[in-house]
Amino acid sequence: MAAIENDERRALVSHQRRWPIFDQSSVIKKSPIIARHATVGETDMELGMTLSQAHILSSQSRGHRSGSAIRWVLLGIAIGAIFIADTLTNYEIAVAVFYVAPVLISAEFLGKVGVLGISCLCACLALGSFMLPREGIYQAGTINCVLSICAIAATAYLALQRSSALLAEHEAKAQLTRLSRVNTLGEMATSIAHEVNQPLTGIVSSAGACRNWLAIDPPNIAKAQQALERMIGDANRASGIVDRVRNLSKRGAPKVEWINADTLVTEVIALCRRELDRSAVSVIREPDVGPTQVFADAVQIQQVLINLILNALEAMSGSGGRGRNVFIAVALQPGNMVLFTVGDTGHGVAPHLIEHMFDPFYSTKDAGIGMGLAISRSIVESHTGRIWAEPDPQGGAKFYFSLPGRMGASG
């Protein structure tokens, strides 16, 4: 019986003391990243969030369709006006050369096939205007028609080349962002291994306790069932950690949705826990005024927070005297914007260097490549947010970034 009590005590310690952050009800059930086992109340809240998200996406879709319709109308008016002017003027006036304008306009919102279609239409209209009876010198009209068709073809080629270059640039940025996440995960390998090892240790301890409770005569079914429930909880926690790491490293399209800002910060702190403990740095979280939600891609915002926390740890390396703390705060601002604050008590940053901190390949560290903050800025701005930094008068620096948000449902 004493051995059973010891195994039970070790299982409880592993289950409770090792997991002060990963509370099953607040993280596993409510996280937008980890699979949920929602209760009825949570399901209602998520349904409300889904309906609100659908309303916003529907509004954005309607706005996009409206903008496309306006562009199509303007494009049609431009092509029609050029055709009429080209038909009514003499052969000597090369009005058809202005068809390059509709081609350039189409390149701003149409794909490759669309641009080619508009270009062919303009060329056909230019040829059609030339074939209609007009006044002037026929030979001059022939030369102008040929030159106009050549100008249309050249403009279409250059527009497609530009579109291809922009697409390649977008893909390169996406790949660089993913590589930055993988590099960050490499720096946090020890912390991730530690986080995964904790629930595995809890599973082993609970399994031993369950076996001992079943071995006694008569078996203690209630205690064995409690041990099994702890094993299930620890297995879910381990699965959640693996899912978060996989989401950070995999290549995929951003998934923008309403996510709980407090849960997002909690999960990031859990991922960085080993690095924080190894650097002897404490996390101080300012209390939230209420549950806040942001409309963003959870994986990308996690990457921004991880970058800022790791930068704060590096800024405090070698600093002494003053307490080594990382300050994290989330607050809803006027205009439905949620403000994230990450501060440290390091050496600080010179004011004249702050404006360059978010530039690509700019770094104040000897071994830094200067892409972490640049990618963070790209992520935040892609969410229609803003990121900036300020020196702390008491020492250290504070980084801020804002995202579209709202006050979420409580409970």
Side-chain angles (χ1 to χ4, degrees):
M1 183 64 69
I4 298 176
E5 294 290 347
N6 290 334
D7 286 340
E8 180 76 5
R9 189 177 298 108
R10 284 196 299 269
L12 287 172
V13 170
S14 175
H15 185 76
Q16 296 174 356
R17 293 183 57 190
R18 293 174 181 265
W19 291 95
I21 294 178
F22 289 99
D23 179 72
Q24 188 173 359
S25 61
S26 62
V27 177
I28 295 180
K29 292 185 178 180
K30 297 181 181 178
S31 170
I33 304 170
I34 306 173
R36 308 178 183 117
H37 303 285
T39 61
V40 175
E42 290 168 333
T43 303
D44 292 340
M45 184 179 69
E46 289 173 3
L47 179 60
M49 291 170 60
T50 304
L51 292 175
S52 178
Q53 176 185 350
H55 175 72
I56 291 178
L57 292 178
S58 176
S59 300
Q60 293 176 344
S61 178
R62 287 196 300 269
H64 177 73
R65 289 196 298 267
S66 176
S68 298
I70 293 174
R71 289 178 177 178
W72 275 109
V73 171
L74 294 177
L75 188 63
I77 293 175
I79 293 176
I82 295 172
F83 176 76
I84 294 173
D86 188 31
T87 303
L88 297 179
T89 55
N90 296 335
Y91 281 123
E92 293 88 347
I93 303 176
V95 178
V97 75
F98 289 103
Y99 279 119
V100 299
V103 175
L104 293 175
I105 293 174
S106 66
E108 295 296 327
F109 69 101
L110 295 179
K112 180 179 180 180
V113 176
V115 174
L116 289 176
I118 295 297
S119 302
C120 293
L121 174 63
C122 292
C124 292
L125 291 177
L127 185 60
S129 296
F130 169 73
M131 296 178 65
L132 293 175
R134 298 162 60 185
E135 296 181 355
I137 304 174
Y138 183 80
Q139 291 79 1
T142 303
I143 295 174
N144 287 336
C145 181
V146 173
L147 292 177
S148 298
I149 293 176
C150 291
I152 293 171
T155 303
Y157 173 78
L158 294 176
L160 292 177
Q161 289 292 103
R162 176 177 176 271
S163 299
S164 299
L166 291 176
L167 180 61
E169 179 186 3
H170 175 74
E171 292 179 351
K173 286 183 178 179
Q175 184 69 7
L176 183 60
T177 301
R178 177 175 174 268
L179 290 176
S180 176
R181 287 203 299 266
V182 174
N183 181 64
T184 302
L185 290 176
E187 296 177 0
M188 298 174 58
T190 303
S191 178
I192 294 171
H194 177 74
E195 293 297 332
V196 174
N197 186 61
Q198 284 187 337
L200 296 180
T201 303
I203 291 174
V204 173
S205 299
S206 297
C210 178
R211 180 189 59 191
N212 293 334
W213 285 121
L214 294 176
I216 63 176
D217 189 20
N220 193 327
I221 303 300
K223 292 290 187 179
Q225 185 176 5
Q226 292 177 5
L228 288 175
E229 290 175 354
R230 288 196 300 270
M231 292 172 60
I232 294 173
D234 287 332
N236 287 334
R237 293 187 182 96
S239 176
I241 296 171
V242 173
D243 285 344
R244 288 198 302 276
V245 174
R246 183 177 59 187
N247 288 334
L248 282 170
S249 60
K250 73 179 181 181
R251 180 179 182 179
K255 182 181 179 182
V256 180
E257 59 184 351
W258 285 110
I259 51 179
N260 187 284
D262 182 71
T263 302
L264 196 66
V265 173
T266 299
E267 293 177 353
V268 169
I269 294 176
L271 281 174
C272 299
R273 174 56 59 188
R274 186 69 172 178
E275 303 298 324
L276 291 165
D277 293 341
R278 186 168 59 182
S279 301
V281 173
S282 301
V283 177
I284 299 178
R285 297 183 61 177
E286 297 184 8
D288 301 335
V289 296
T292 54
Q293 298 172 347
V294 292
F295 193 65
D297 178 77
V299 173
Q300 292 189 352
I301 304 307
Q302 277 189 329
Q303 181 181 358
V304 174
L305 288 169
I306 290 174
N307 283 337
L308 295 181
I309 292 176
L310 293 182
N311 283 345
L313 295 182
E314 293 178 356
M316 289 183 289
S317 61
S319 63
R322 191 181 172 198
R324 298 159 61 86
N325 300 315
V326 171
F327 303 92
I328 301 178
V330 179
L332 183 64
Q333 301 292 306
N336 290 329
M337 298 296 289
V338 174
L339 179 66
F340 291 79
T341 305
V342 179
D344 61 70
T345 56
H347 299 290
V349 182
H352 67 279
L353 298 178
I354 289 183
E355 60 182 14
H356 301 291
M357 292 181 63
F358 297 95
D359 294 340
F361 304 109
Y362 180 84
S363 177
T364 58
K365 298 175 289 187
D366 295 335
I369 61 175
M371 290 304 299
L373 291 177
I375 291 175
S376 297
R377 182 180 67 176
S378 176
I379 291 174
V380 172
E381 291 179 351
S382 69
H383 287 78
T384 66
R386 175 173 170 257
I387 185 171
W388 70 98
E390 295 178 358
D392 191 340
Q394 299 180 354
K398 288 186 176 181
F399 288 81
Y400 307 88
F401 68 93
S402 58
L403 297 171
R406 67 181 183 186
M407 184 66 70
S410 59

